Amino acid sequence: MRRPTPQSGCDIVRAVASLGDEDGDDELVRTDALPAIRVQRVRTRLVVLSGPDAGRDWPLMPGRYRVGSGRDADILLSDRAVSRQHLILDVNESGVRAVDPGSRNGSYCEGMRFQELEVRTGAVLKLGTSELKLMPESERPRARPLSARSAFGSLVGNSRRMRELFTLLERLSAGESDVLIQGETGTGKELCAEAIHTHSPRARGPFVIADLAGIAPSLLESELFGHVKGAFTGAHSDRAGAFERAHGGTLFLDEVGELPLEVQPRLLRALERRQVKRVGSNDYRTFDVRVVAATHQDLEGSVQAGRFRGDLFHRLAVLRVSLPPLRERLEDVPLLVDTVLQRMGRPPSALSDQTRALLAQYPWPGNVRELRNVVDRVVNLGDEALPDIPDLPSPPEDPTTLPPPSDDPESTRPISLDLPFKEAKDRIIEGFERDYLRALIDRCEGNVSRAAREAGIDRVYLRKLLRKHGLDTSPA
């Protein structure tokens, strides 16, 4: 006689989940295969981790919740960067579904923007400058150590994200392990590397920068490891490479993700042995260097795609630092603006309150570098320079129409505010992008790499925009 087959763990969980009471109390559950077991239904809470409402929390029972800054919101936030109706949470027995109905600054989960998402327990949502976490009711948010600093080297910020970052940098700067800095273009990776150096025991040694994206592939090995006289055409004398020049200090390998595969084994060998062999030489030279590398790329994704060696990645990423994009710490914009003005030798009054309010609402795709360039432009050209920033039109004088973005025949017609919001906005952005790119390319004499640096955006993204507006004259 065959014995009954016991239910699997998943089957038991499904049975338990289907028998809970509506009040969420503990429930006695019986099955044919096992004795009675007692399970506890997990209640969920929405906890504000950062922002003006930090510390507040709300229980989430099954139902629909409107999250926003409007008075009719079920979960009311005082964050000015949060829209009146910013997010809708549908809570049911199976989980929480979040829907962004069209907020001004967007909704983010773990750094990724979304419009509709199934949110797992433990996930952190970013609305405006506020971070909210879904967590079991019985669990309290764990306090993270926050630095008392508002700056670390040339990095500036008062937000929770930056003060947590400063705590990490304070700790790792004191050590000798190699560091990998990851972050979008314009977030300040070079400033971070320099700050690590100046706060380390190596501060009196050299800080040497090797920009791997700006060196011709044929010269990479010579730049990193050096060469001897006669090693190749043009090698008229011996030359020390970046590793030797940084002896006793810190070597910053900028955009290490751009390193060609054929050079990666030599870099790995140098990091492992702490020795280099100059091009054309048979002798190894020992160096004493701390290596700080940086990239805007997803190196782990590059490893999976075969574009970057896994062993080199793990050797570089002994310690890892992730710099948050400016859109995830918009509360730092006023401090950053004042810092830029101070470094320009200008008073805070150099920018009007209206301009500051507009800057605080912009998503800053070019991050802090773009902010610095915009402040410089507005200080020198006045508030009329603001329409040159895509997505950031200056307030219209006529309450019924928006002014055309340029004298281009395609954009001479005013944009009627009777159009659907998305269509009106897209038309304005098209004109701003076209005008901005024309002026940028003219100013940089067609040099796309220089234009990308001045605009504070990635070179590949700039080429995509140029093609979009028919301004890319480079051969296919």
Side-chain angles (χ1 to χ4, degrees):
M1 179 176 176
R2 295 180 61 186
R3 295 182 179 178
T5 303
Q7 289 176 280
S8 70
C10 292
D11 291 335
I12 294 169
V13 169
R14 280 194 288 269
V16 169
S18 66
L19 292 172
D21 63 12
E22 294 181 354
D23 296 328
D25 294 329
D26 291 2
E27 176 154 2
L28 193 65
V29 178
R30 299 182 183 276
T31 70
D32 292 335
L34 294 175
I37 56 175
R38 187 169 294 276
V39 294
Q40 183 177 14
R41 300 183 58 78
V42 178
R43 294 190 180 97
T44 305
R45 302 188 74 82
L46 186 67
V47 180
V48 183
L49 299 180
S50 68
D53 303 290
R56 295 190 63 191
D57 66 288
W58 294 265
L60 297 181
M61 304 302 290
R64 170 168 287 197
Y65 300 83
R66 292 167 296 178
V67 184
S69 58
R71 292 185 178 181
D72 58 345
D74 303 303
I75 297 177
L76 179 61
L77 300 174
S78 55
D79 189 340
R80 290 187 176 183
V82 170
S83 299
R84 293 179 59 83
Q85 183 169 289
H86 199 112
L87 196 67
I88 296 173
L89 298 178
D90 281 318
V91 182
N92 53 51
E93 298 296 338
S94 60
V96 178
R97 187 169 191 80
V99 178
D100 187 320
S103 65
R104 182 175 67 251
N105 293 324
S107 301
Y108 297 83
C109 181
E110 311 294 353
M112 300 294 292
R113 186 166 183 168
F114 70 89
Q115 287 186 316
E116 193 168 335
L117 183 72
E118 293 288 343
V119 188
R120 59 176 175 79
T121 302
V124 176
L125 302 175
K126 179 83 171 182
L127 312 183
T129 64
S130 300
E131 287 180 308
L132 302 90
K133 184 175 182 179
L134 278 177
M135 55 200 315
E137 188 178 48
S138 58
E139 181 184 333
R140 293 189 176 185
R142 185 173 55 187
R144 300 179 185 178
L146 297 180
S147 172
R149 299 172 180 266
S150 60
F152 189 84
S154 295
L155 296 175
V156 175
N158 269 326
S159 63
R160 186 181 68 88
R161 293 287 298 275
M162 291 303 288
R163 290 169 65 195
E164 286 179 353
L165 173 66
F166 296 158
T167 297
L168 174 62
L169 294 177
E170 289 166 1
R171 293 175 178 175
L172 65 81
S173 294
E176 287 289 332
S177 298
D178 294 340
V179 181
L180 176 65
I181 303 171
Q182 295 176 291
E184 296 179 6
T185 299
T187 49
K189 295 185 289 293
E190 183 177 329
L191 297 180
C192 182
E194 190 169 8
I196 291 172
H197 171 71
T198 56
H199 287 80
S200 75
R202 296 177 174 269
R204 294 187 178 182
F207 178 71
V208 176
I209 301 173
D211 181 5
L212 302 185
I215 303 172
S218 59
L219 299 176
L220 268 172
E221 292 193 49
S222 173
E223 174 61 29
L224 290 175
F225 312 122
H227 64 254
V228 297
K229 181 179 179 180
F232 51 83
T233 303
H236 301 301
S237 62
D238 290 357
R239 181 176 185 271
F243 279 97
E244 290 184 66
R245 298 198 305 274
H247 182 74
T250 303
L251 173 60
F252 177 48
L253 299 178
D254 196 12
E255 293 303 344
V256 71
E258 303 286 344
L259 194 67
L261 267 173
E262 60 269 20
V263 183
Q264 292 177 25
R266 286 204 64 184
L267 175 59
L268 176 62
R269 192 177 306 115
L271 294 172
E272 292 284 1
R273 300 180 58 173
R274 256 31 189 188
Q275 290 181 326
V276 292
K277 185 170 65 173
R278 293 183 179 182
V279 177
S281 173
N282 294 320
D283 301 322
Y284 280 94
R285 298 168 182 260
T286 301
F287 59 84
D288 173 24
V289 166
R290 185 184 197 181
V291 175
V292 178
T295 180
H296 72 279
Q297 298 183 18
D298 174 14
L299 277 194
E300 290 171 293
S302 296
V303 170
Q304 294 176 358
R307 296 189 300 271
F308 203 85
R309 291 178 62 110
D311 47 5
L312 177 56
F313 167 74
H314 293 297
R315 188 61 190 81
L316 289 168
V318 177
L319 298 173
R320 295 170 71 174
V321 176
S322 183
L323 298 185
L326 186 52
R327 65 178 175 273
E328 293 182 10
R329 57 182 188 103
L330 289 174
E331 62 265 46
D332 285 333
V333 168
L335 177 60
L336 288 166
V337 168
D338 287 338
T339 301
V340 172
L341 291 173
Q342 181 182 16
R343 292 173 183 173
M344 293 173 61
R346 305 297 293 267
S349 58
L351 291 184
S352 67
D353 291 341
Q354 184 183 38
T355 296
R356 286 175 175 270
L358 288 171
L359 297 182
Q361 297 173 21
Y362 183 58
W364 299 108
N367 292 298
V368 180
R369 182 183 295 138
E370 184 186 14
L371 172 64
R372 184 180 65 238
N373 293 342
V374 167
V375 171
D376 192 325
R377 191 156 68 244
V378 173
V379 166
N380 286 286
L381 299 179
D383 288 355
E384 59 269 21
L386 283 174
D388 292 337
I389 309 169
D391 264 351
L392 186 63
S394 57
E397 295 181 6
D398 187 332
T400 59
T401 62
L402 294 175
S406 71
D407 294 330
D408 189 281
E410 298 179 25
S411 57
T412 53
R413 295 187 301 273
I415 306 301
S416 172
L417 295 185
D418 293 334
L419 290 172
F421 171 79
K422 188 177 186 305
E423 183 179 346
K425 179 182 176 184
D426 287 346
R427 286 195 191 182
I428 296 170
I429 293 173
E430 288 280 327
F432 286 152
E433 283 184 356
R434 189 165 48 249
D435 292 347
Y436 180 86
L437 293 172
R438 278 205 188 104
L440 177 67
I441 291 299
D442 288 345
R443 185 169 70 250
C444 296
E445 300 175 338
N447 187 319
V448 176
S449 295
R450 176 185 159 196
R453 286 194 299 271
E454 288 199 13
I457 59 178
D458 185 73
R459 188 169 57 247
V460 175
Y461 179 57
L462 177 58
R463 282 206 178 277
K464 180 179 178 181
L465 288 176
L466 291 172
R467 287 195 295 271
K468 171 184 173 183
H469 294 285
L471 302 175
D472 188 1
T473 58
S474 61

